[in-house]
Amino acid sequence: MSAQPPLLPKVDAILVLDGDGNRLAGKYYGEFLKKGEAEDGKVSSVEEVRSSFERQLQSKIQGIAARADAAEVVTVMGRTAVFCGGTNANSTGGGDVRVVHIGPPGESELVLAHLAEGMYDALSHLMGGATDRTMVLDNLELVFLLIDEHSDGGIILETDGHKLASAVLLRDDDGTGEPETVHAGGASTQGLPAGVTGGDLTLGQAFRQARDQFLTNLSSRDGM
């Protein structure tokens, strides 16, 4: 009998990569690439093994732009990798960041595609539609929260993009680990809640400001 209950999708890794294949955020789960490898008398570290895997992955997906609602599939080291995002020579707008799900042997490509599309949709919401490297780096705390809301130990918890984005924004935040304020210089407010401007706030800070204002207004209304 399988130790895993039915209808619970599982992944071996979730990666958020920039256009050059550099890992901006991500998590590996279970035993997948957990140990280093010995070759020619030299023992590679876990991070070296994972970096090698990611370079092979990049060689397969570079130049491929996968729509948010149509994930692409490649095979790397015998594992199925499904991703959304990225750019190619014909791309306009959007961003170069890719969300990649690595599935365990036997996992359905269609299931993995659904997972990748859901997380990419949530990431796009959180980043105001600008899924580029700079925006993601400026809001890494939201990206890591998104991964945690999406998966627990490789077991998928939620796939709906809107629900994932809402869960991230409603997570308790104690104000620690905030990225440095970046002057937006009148940056676009596309994707921000009504009444919120970018200014000197990161996108994550702006969303939390809007959330707090919404909760305050709701409490005042209930107290009337």
Side-chain angles (χ1 to χ4, degrees):
M1 293 180 60
S2 172
Q4 181 158 340
L7 304 179
L8 285 179
K10 187 177 186 299
V11 294
D12 283 337
I14 297 174
L15 304 172
V16 179
L17 309 177
D18 69 10
D20 295 323
N22 300 307
R23 188 197 322 152
L24 305 180
K27 285 191 174 182
Y28 286 84
Y29 302 105
E31 297 300 314
F32 180 57
L33 301 185
K34 190 175 182 180
K35 299 179 180 179
E37 296 180 349
E39 184 177 354
D40 298 329
K42 178 184 177 183
V43 178
S44 300
S45 68
V46 173
E47 186 57 34
E48 287 173 333
V49 172
R50 291 176 176 177
S51 295
S52 175
F53 174 81
E54 290 163 13
R55 285 194 296 272
Q56 293 184 54
L57 172 62
Q58 174 64 10
S59 71
K60 296 287 188 73
I61 66 178
Q62 64 182 357
I64 302 176
R67 297 201 324 262
D69 60 348
E72 296 283 350
V73 182
V74 296
T75 301
V76 184
M77 293 174 54
R79 297 297 179 108
T80 300
V82 180
F83 68 95
C84 287
T87 57
N88 58 27
N90 300 318
S91 298
T92 58
D96 61 338
V97 168
R98 293 182 174 92
V99 169
V100 186
H101 285 58
I102 310 298
E107 186 60 86
S108 165
E109 292 181 2
L110 291 176
V111 169
L112 292 172
H114 179 64
L115 305 183
E117 289 163 8
M119 181 174 163
Y120 187 83
D121 183 40
L123 180 67
S124 181
H125 276 83
L126 292 171
M127 300 296 110
T131 53
D132 58 79
R133 184 178 190 274
T134 300
M135 183 65 77
V136 168
L137 286 177
D138 282 346
N139 295 279
L140 271 182
E141 79 282 5
L142 293 181
V143 180
F144 281 107
L145 283 174
L146 173 58
I147 294 173
D148 288 342
E149 289 290 340
H150 182 50
S151 172
D152 181 13
I155 304 296
I156 299 300
L157 303 176
E158 180 59 72
T159 61
D160 183 271
H162 289 277
K163 291 181 179 179
L164 279 170
S166 297
V168 168
L169 296 176
L170 289 174
R171 280 277 290 268
D172 289 338
D173 187 275
D174 59 7
T176 60
E178 290 286 355
E180 290 185 11
T181 296
V182 178
H183 182 61
S188 169
T189 59
Q190 178 184 5
L192 290 177
V196 177
T197 57
D200 290 333
L201 294 177
T202 65
L203 196 59
Q205 291 169 325
F207 268 118
R208 280 191 290 278
Q209 177 179 306
R211 176 201 62 191
D212 293 341
Q213 181 179 348
F214 171 77
L215 293 176
T216 299
N217 292 341
L218 185 62
S219 298
S220 300
R221 188 186 315 156
D222 291 341
M224 290 179 62

